[in-house]
Amino acid sequence: MEILRIGTRKSALALWQAEHVRERLLEQEPRLRVELVKITTSGDRILDRPLAAVGGKGLFIKELEQALFDGRIDLAVHSMKDLTVTLPESLHVAAVLERADPRDAFVSNRYRRLAELPEGARIGTSSLRRQCQLRARYPHCRIVDLRGNVNTRLTKLDAGEFDAIILAVAGLERLGFGDRITQALDPADSLPAVAQGAICIESRRDDVDTNRRLAALDHAPTRRCVSAERALNASLDGGCQVPIAAHAELRAGRIFLRALVGDPDGSRVLQTEADGPADQPQALGEQAAKALIERGAKTILDKVYGRD
């Protein structure tokens, strides 16, 4: 019997995603044997510092990619928002699954809406993207860095360390914590991360059999939308731990893209919108990135990267 090995991080959310891919593969080929290979990544080991401070690019995927190179696994399952903008030449994204709800979630035991938070309220998040938008819109609140998996973050909220925390709707729902979502935030209030809510599968380009199996899982509309978002991110030399947000939607054969770059302190948030043909997501993302660069995005990102 043929064995297919899925590489995954060890967190509860990563394991849910890997199990979901396993189930999808078995639906189309019930006799296939699919095993999970659990791998610890750099991002999982570094819990005492903000990821942006240690170089956020690839912290959650490099060890998985090495396992692909070594032949220890046949495919790696990622939250697509963790994927670097460029991949090693011998690897590729073989499938992008249909995206779940891409929105951010406001979670609080005391307040019903983000806009109701009082002066000095403590909001927990480790995301520079979320921080810049929160500080710009709610300067009266205190933004406090919060690391750890979903369970850890909810535990800290329940212990009273925070008045509210911001997480991803998709992650909470996948782990059965949908009832903890106090308010799903409109993208106008909190523009999501690039590819938020999407799961992708990375494999070796020359692995014909695995790529054939994975092709059946690919969701073309989601791939087009996240391709536009990732093209913007690549043009801005971004990563998964920078204050860049983007969200694309398909409407009547066109992609509509909203994007922003913000200073983490909230002093400056640059925004743009663009739309284009659905079959040209790369060009649309690059167009939106150019508009942000013309407004000063590089200055903000150079500051974040310590290049100023």
Side-chain angles (χ1 to χ4, degrees):
M1 181 182 293
E2 189 171 356
I3 300 175
L4 207 60
R5 297 157 302 170
I6 299 178
T8 175
R9 294 168 57 203
K10 298 178 181 180
S11 72
L13 182 56
L15 290 172
W16 184 96
Q17 294 175 165
E19 286 286 0
H20 178 65
V21 170
R22 179 179 181 274
E23 290 170 6
R24 292 287 306 276
L25 288 166
L26 291 175
E27 283 174 6
Q28 66 184 30
E29 201 172 341
R31 294 180 61 83
L32 187 66
R33 182 175 168 185
V34 184
E35 297 180 350
L36 301 191
V37 179
K38 302 172 185 177
I39 297 170
T40 301
T41 68
S42 300
D44 297 315
R45 286 190 292 267
I46 303 170
L47 296 174
D48 59 342
R49 287 169 288 167
L51 293 177
V54 292
K57 293 186 180 182
L59 286 174
F60 291 114
I61 71 166
K62 289 303 182 186
E63 286 83 356
L64 290 165
E65 290 183 333
Q66 189 59 53
L68 281 169
F69 292 139
D70 296 344
R72 286 180 284 134
I73 62 174
D74 303 297
L75 58 136
V77 176
H78 308 293
S79 292
M80 198 165 189
K81 67 183 182 65
D82 293 335
L83 200 65
T84 50
V85 294
T86 56
L87 300 181
E89 189 173 338
S90 61
L91 305 180
H92 73 144
V93 175
V96 180
L97 276 57
E98 183 173 3
R99 175 147 56 180
D101 192 327
R103 293 177 295 175
D104 280 335
F106 170 75
V107 182
S108 176
N109 296 326
R110 300 180 59 192
Y111 303 97
R112 292 178 301 169
R113 301 180 63 80
L114 179 58
E116 293 179 4
L117 290 178
E119 183 82 27
R122 297 159 299 168
I123 307 175
T125 177
S126 61
S127 161
L128 297 183
R129 169 190 63 83
R130 290 171 177 147
Q131 289 179 17
C132 76
Q133 296 183 79
L134 287 167
R135 288 190 170 112
R137 294 180 64 86
Y138 304 98
H140 61 283
C141 294
R142 291 173 52 205
I143 312 302
V144 184
D145 193 66
L146 172 62
R147 291 287 315 281
N149 60 37
V150 171
N151 282 289
T152 298
R153 298 184 195 201
L154 289 173
T155 297
K156 290 183 177 181
L157 172 70
D158 293 342
E161 294 182 35
F162 303 92
D163 296 295
I165 60 177
I166 309 295
L167 298 168
V169 167
L172 287 165
E173 292 184 337
R174 285 167 178 159
L175 290 175
F177 292 126
D179 60 341
R180 296 299 305 266
I181 299 173
T182 311
Q183 178 191 11
L185 298 176
D186 189 288
D189 291 322
S190 187
L191 198 62
V194 168
Q196 184 159 304
I199 297 169
C200 71
I201 309 172
E202 189 178 14
S203 66
R204 293 182 292 273
R205 288 184 181 274
D206 61 2
D207 189 343
V208 177
D209 289 340
T210 297
N211 290 329
R212 172 183 53 79
R213 291 183 168 108
L214 296 178
L217 306 187
D218 192 62
H219 187 253
T222 297
R223 183 182 279 270
R224 286 178 173 175
C225 287
V226 298
S227 292
E229 297 165 17
R230 284 174 56 79
L232 171 127
N233 204 25
S235 296
L236 293 171
D237 190 28
C240 64
Q241 298 296 330
V242 293
I244 297 172
H247 179 54
E249 297 178 281
L250 270 176
R251 301 179 205 156
R254 295 183 70 80
I255 300 176
F256 290 79
L257 176 65
R258 299 172 61 188
L260 67 78
V261 173
D263 193 305
D265 67 9
S267 62
R268 192 179 183 201
V269 177
L270 310 174
Q271 303 188 55
T272 191
E273 296 184 5
D275 71 280
D279 60 354
Q280 298 178 32
Q282 181 80 22
L284 179 62
E286 292 171 355
Q287 173 190 336
K290 182 179 179 182
L292 289 170
I293 290 170
E294 289 173 349
R295 296 173 191 177
K298 285 293 189 184
T299 301
I300 293 174
L301 294 174
D302 284 346
K303 178 181 177 183
V304 172
Y305 287 132
R307 297 186 299 223
D308 56 344

